[in-house]
Amino acid sequence: GLYASNMISAPLTQSIGRILTRAVRIGYLERGAQGTSVTGFIFNSDTAVGSRLEGGADITYKWDGALNGDIGVSFVSNISDSQGMQSTGGPGAFTGFGMSTATDTLVHRVPGIDVHSKLNFKKFGFLAEYVSGLRPFAMQDMSFNGHGATPSAFNLEASYSFDLFNKPASFALGYGQSYQGLALNLAKNRYSGVFNISLFRNTIQSLEYRHDVNYGTGTTASGAGLPITSAGLGRHQDLLLFQMGVYF
């Protein structure tokens, strides 16, 4: 996947799909502003489904011009290795497949797919991404409303760059939605906006507002046979985040 975002907080797609681990990669990249890149990779899985060797591939095409950007498709043989599935950060009994030896063995693999795109036109930018499992988890591994869960999510963002008092700035709005992601402690809907500005050289200041809508009351889920808490069901959450970045 791509998992790019203008926001401070991670998009829902990243929580479901991004895998951070040592991997062996081999690929082909066409140099220049336009062309195709193809990458294959293998890595040692943190969850056991027979063999722990997993892998995947990505193909991306980028182009240049007044409207420039890229579009790509990724595949992974086992999406349960993602950060958001290894550690959910949730308060319930299930806190992720990677949190104990009792939860790191799955009944079967769940492959994952990701479609991602970036577009730029003058001072406008657009991001779109969709990630999903390609088959349901076994009920024993992850459930949603009484059946095997197939977690998925999309993220859409639009941004505008401008100068404010001779300082480079940008503003972005985003919307994300998850499906069958309650066991992963994810919001059902997410609305977000961010303002970025560089007031001093080699710095960037960001202010983000985020509104999360949780899964509705009556929704049930479990992971590794362990129930999750239902305390947050049907509730909303608002966050105001400030970040000061320094780069060199």
Side-chain angles (χ1 to χ4, degrees), residues 1 3 12-18 74 76 79 112-116 129-133 150-155 177 179:
Y3 312 120
L12 297 172
T13 49
Q14 179 175 313
S15 299
I16 287 182
R18 188 175 72 166
S74 302
V76 68
I79 200 171
I113 192 169
D114 181 286
V115 181
H116 51 85
E129 187 158 21
Y130 174 77
V131 62
S132 177
T150 309
S152 63
F154 70 80
N155 183 55
Q177 184 168 334
Y179 302 88

Side-chain angles (χ1 to χ4, degrees), residues 224-239:
L226 302 171
I228 67 151
T229 181
S230 59
L233 290 178
R235 296 186 178 180
H236 296 206
Q237 184 180 46
D238 295 279
L239 293 95

Side-chain angles (χ1 to χ4, degrees), residues 84-141:
M85 295 192 189
Q86 289 294 303
S87 177
T88 68
F94 175 64
T95 54
F97 294 123
M99 302 308 290
S100 74
T101 56
T103 59
D104 72 347
T105 301
L106 302 183
V107 174
H108 61 71
R109 286 178 175 82
V110 176
I113 192 169
D114 181 286
V115 181
H116 51 85
S117 180
K118 290 190 302 183
L119 297 175
N120 298 288
F121 179 72
K122 296 183 179 180
K123 295 184 177 183
F124 295 92
F126 304 93
L127 296 172
E129 187 158 21
Y130 174 77
V131 62
S132 177
L134 288 175
R135 65 181 295 192
F137 279 88
M139 270 285 293
Q140 303 94 308
D141 296 330

Side-chain angles (χ1 to χ4, degrees), residues 9-10 14 34 38 42 116 124 148 167 175 181 193 196 237 246-247:
S9 49
Q14 179 175 313
Q34 187 162 308
V38 182
I42 56 173
H116 51 85
F124 295 92
K167 303 293 184 180
Y175 175 71
N196 302 298
Q237 184 180 46
V246 181
Y247 55 94

Side-chain angles (χ1 to χ4, degrees), residues 7 18 20 32 43 53 62 70 92 110 130 156 158 198 200 206 217 222 226 242:
M7 307 299 160
R18 188 175 72 166
L20 289 183
F43 61 93
L53 188 65
K62 62 178 181 178
D70 59 59
V110 176
Y130 174 77
L156 302 173
S198 179
F200 314 103
S206 302
T217 56
S222 66
L226 302 171
F242 174 77

